Amino acid sequence: MPLHNAEIADRLNRLAALLEIEGANRFRVRAYRNAAGTVAGLPRDAAAMLADGEDLSELPGIGEDLAGKIAEMVETGSLQALDEVEARVPPGLFEMTRVPGLGARKVKALYDALGLDSLDALREAADRGRIRQVPGFGAKSEANIRRELDRLEGEGDRLRLIDAEHIAEPLMAHIRDLDGVSRATVAGSYRRRKETVGDLDILVVAEDGDAVTQAFTAYEEVAQIVGRGATRATVVLRSGFSVDLRVVAPESHGAALHYFTGAKSHNIALRRRAVARGWKLNEYGLFDGDTRIAGRTEEEVYGKLGLPFIPPLLRENRGEIAAADEGRLPSLAELSDIRGDLHCHTTASDGKFGIREMAEAARALGYGYLGITDHSRSQTVAGGMSTDDLAAQIDEIDALNAEFAGFRVLKSCEVDILEDGQLDFPDDLLARLDYTVCSVHGRFDLSRETQTERVIRAMDNPNFTILGHPTGRLINRRAPFDIDLDRVMRAAADRGCFLELNAQPSRLDLDDARCKMARDMGLKIAVSTDAHTTDGLEMMRFGVAQAGRGWLEADDILNTRPVAALLEAMAR
Ligand code: DGT
Ligand code: CA
Ligand code: CA
Ligand code: ZN
């Protein structure tokens, strides 16, 4: 029962955090953390790669030692180095370091002063006003801890979409292999491509339901069988993730797929439409009295209700039924509409490959261009470039472009927006670039007003093109910083700037609702991967799905344009 990438990454992060609390060498701590990030971002399970005889030490940031640790986890399910440190340091301190604002040092201080060794203990101490008494903490940080704890609890155990995929894909292969299974689909939020997934809802068409639910509950990853019958089963997997499975008849498949795809609010609105016609809609079909009038396909159900097919990405009851009724559903952007990527890193900052390798990977994806956006000088922790480095990179790109036909490397930079709204490189240097991606990387704690002013002031610089990862959020890890995005988006539209939808599965920043707002105000969005490796370029599909959830059509996305039109659109 090999561990999934998310579990391996979790253990490496845990090891890094506990060692950091112990005061271990910070380079060692960082190496474990980087490796966790690499494993979490792999397109395939590390276990499968090992089984195929691949050498993990060839992966970026993973040397012999870490490759050995990963192999140990895959083979034995545990990690001796972690067991050892957990014998010395209370394991609950790791969860405490996940509270934004509480690094290893602060967690250690709370443990030493108050003996706090778990999130529950932290919560209790915060509620009783004990944290403010610890040197280095105050009433403000205590309130902040309480707020972050509320948020962590609200999130529950939802998985990032990519982690849900790593669980769903082998499971679906197992189910599709079963005798008599003619169709198997993951419905629910997974099919709607929501940024996080609460559980999997699987729909199966099969001759013998009982045999299917038996084989499903016997899957090697199942830790607990919550219930099992001839038409349905619910299990909890070893990862703690729940899976619902239903077996349906072919004549109900469309209705069931629709019902279990949701969202619930969309289903309720559609059921109301059926009732208004004197019919009934449920997971078995659309009924006129006792007669099933539709149900075999989703198209049939929508069609009978006078509607075109509504793509799952749109089914959130955000106006999609009215839009369908009036024939104005958006024609959603697809991955094949994307002509290039506008945000990636190379070895010039914290990326793992050179410009040529990244460009060749982009070309292999069928792109016409790739924008190189290494970090600017203030990003010392992420290998930020000096002015000389960027000037040299500009020359390097010119030389490379002279070699390429039908592909263009774009000169750019991920420029820090400094605290006062200045950009992190001199204007004359920035002016030599094709465009810029400007990002907030620090001082997330500014007030809403100040943060908003900071970003808008940066946009006043004519070298500002795209606002990178606009809210700084990290899914399940860091809340968005406080900023008036509505104002920022209007300011961007007024100045001919753009916002990024960062496609990293941990970011997906902008969110779907903001994408829709952007579209409504005519502001174009750059969907970019922020890749740090050649594989990272393949994360584009998560961004395109999120864009679709935000109703974006190809024209609403900046990088669906061929290079000439792109450069024209970006010129201010
Ligand atoms: P999740 O799992 O929290 O990420 O979100 P979903 O949307 O997958 O929700 P889930 O797993 O609770 O249920 C799957 C689908 O089943 C949901 O999207 C719509 C449908 N559904 C569940 N409960 C109800 C209900 O009470 N009424 C209706 N109409 N549909 C429901
Ligand atoms: Ca679900
Ligand atoms: Ca469910
Ligand atoms: Zn960034």
Side-chain angles (χ1 to χ4, degrees), residues 343 375 414 439 441 469 507 530:
H343 187 165
H375 285 292
E414 183 174 11
S439 305
H441 283 131
H469 44 69
R507 289 192 182 268
D530 196 355

Side-chain angles (χ1 to χ4, degrees), residues 126-319:
D127 287 348
R128 287 153 124 220
R130 291 176 66 209
I131 288 176
R132 68 181 77 179
Q133 296 156 7
V134 179
F137 294 81
K140 201 175 150 207
S141 49
E142 187 177 86
N144 189 43
I145 288 171
R146 210 174 305 120
R147 197 170 46 245
E148 292 293 355
L149 285 171
D150 287 344
R151 196 178 56 76
L152 284 173
E153 279 161 22
E155 264 164 11
D157 292 322
R158 301 183 65 82
L159 288 187
R160 298 182 309 162
L161 184 56
I162 190 172
D163 296 327
E165 282 187 352
H166 285 144
I167 290 178
E169 281 163 7
L171 173 59
M172 293 309 285
H174 171 78
I175 291 172
R176 290 194 181 108
D177 257 6
L178 299 174
D179 279 345
V181 168
S182 54
R183 301 187 67 161
T185 316
V186 188
S189 53
Y190 184 92
R191 184 167 178 238
R192 304 198 311 280
R193 305 272 84 192
K194 230 179 129 174
E195 58 197 30
T196 62
V197 175
D199 73 355
L200 294 178
D201 306 282
I202 298 174
L203 219 61
V204 175
V205 178
E207 290 148 25
D208 183 353
D210 199 53
V212 169
T213 59
Q214 282 224 23
F216 167 65
T217 52
Y219 181 56
E220 59 178 10
E221 298 272 334
V222 170
Q224 185 198 342
I225 301 170
V226 179
R228 190 191 78 79
T231 58
R232 56 183 298 180
T234 299
V235 301
V236 181
L237 301 178
R238 278 190 305 116
S239 56
F241 204 51
S242 296
V243 187
D244 285 334
L245 176 136
R246 307 259 173 162
V247 184
V248 297
E251 60 274 19
S252 292
H253 181 256
L257 185 57
H258 182 268
Y259 183 91
F260 291 108
T261 296
K264 189 171 163 181
S265 54
H266 172 92
N267 291 356
I268 290 170
L270 203 69
R271 192 183 315 135
R272 208 172 292 132
R273 192 176 171 96
V275 170
R277 285 163 170 69
W279 299 331
K280 191 175 79 186
L281 177 63
N282 58 28
E283 62 266 51
Y284 301 103
L286 180 63
F287 294 89
D288 180 357
D290 288 336
T291 312
R292 189 194 328 255
I293 56 176
R296 189 169 284 275
T297 65
E298 289 187 314
E299 283 82 352
E300 192 181 74
V301 173
Y302 281 118
K304 267 280 188 271
L305 291 167
L307 297 172
F309 177 80
I310 300 178
L313 296 177
L314 295 179
R315 299 182 196 170
E316 298 288 345
N317 199 30
R318 290 186 190 145

Side-chain angles (χ1 to χ4, degrees), residues 329-452:
L329 275 181
S331 161
L332 298 182
E334 291 173 13
L335 186 55
S336 57
D337 293 320
I338 300 291
R339 305 277 194 118
D341 201 327
L342 296 175
H343 187 165
C344 78
H345 297 266
T346 73
T347 46
S349 62
D350 57 350
K352 308 298 179 200
F353 296 89
I355 299 175
R356 181 188 294 276
E357 289 165 291
M358 292 299 285
E360 270 159 10
R363 256 180 126 168
L365 294 175
Y367 289 163
Y369 48 89
L370 176 69
I372 304 296
T373 54
D374 281 304
H375 285 292
S376 59
R377 59 188 171 189
S378 291
Q379 276 300 302
T380 46
V381 288
M385 296 181 288
S386 66
T387 49
D388 287 348
D389 292 338
L390 180 55
Q393 189 179 68
I394 289 172
D395 293 339
E396 186 185 348
I397 292 176
D398 283 338
L400 256 179
N401 277 333
E403 269 182 48
F404 287 137
F407 185 87
R408 171 113 170 239
V409 181
L410 297 175
K411 291 172 275 192
S412 187
C413 177
E414 183 174 11
V415 190
D416 265 45
I417 298 174
L418 303 179
E419 183 172 354
D420 60 0
Q422 300 283 323
L423 299 183
D424 194 22
F425 275 134
D427 288 340
D428 57 345
L429 181 58
L430 294 178
R432 296 178 59 198
L433 301 173
D434 292 311
Y435 71 98
T436 61
V437 174
C438 302
S439 305
V440 168
H441 283 131
R443 289 313 308 266
F444 296 149
D445 58 333
L446 296 179
S447 72
R448 182 179 180 85
E449 182 66 23
T450 315
Q451 196 71 276
T452 307

Side-chain angles (χ1 to χ4, degrees), residues 464-477:
F464 187 118
T465 319
I466 298 168
L467 176 62
H469 44 69
T471 76
R473 68 129 173 211
L474 293 174
I475 292 175
N476 287 352
R477 291 217 313 272

Side-chain angles (χ1 to χ4, degrees), residues 273 307 310 317 319-329 551:
R273 192 176 171 96
L307 297 172
I310 300 178
N317 199 30
E320 70 278 9
I321 295 178
D325 199 24
E326 292 158 19
R328 48 179 184 80
L329 275 181
W551 295 50

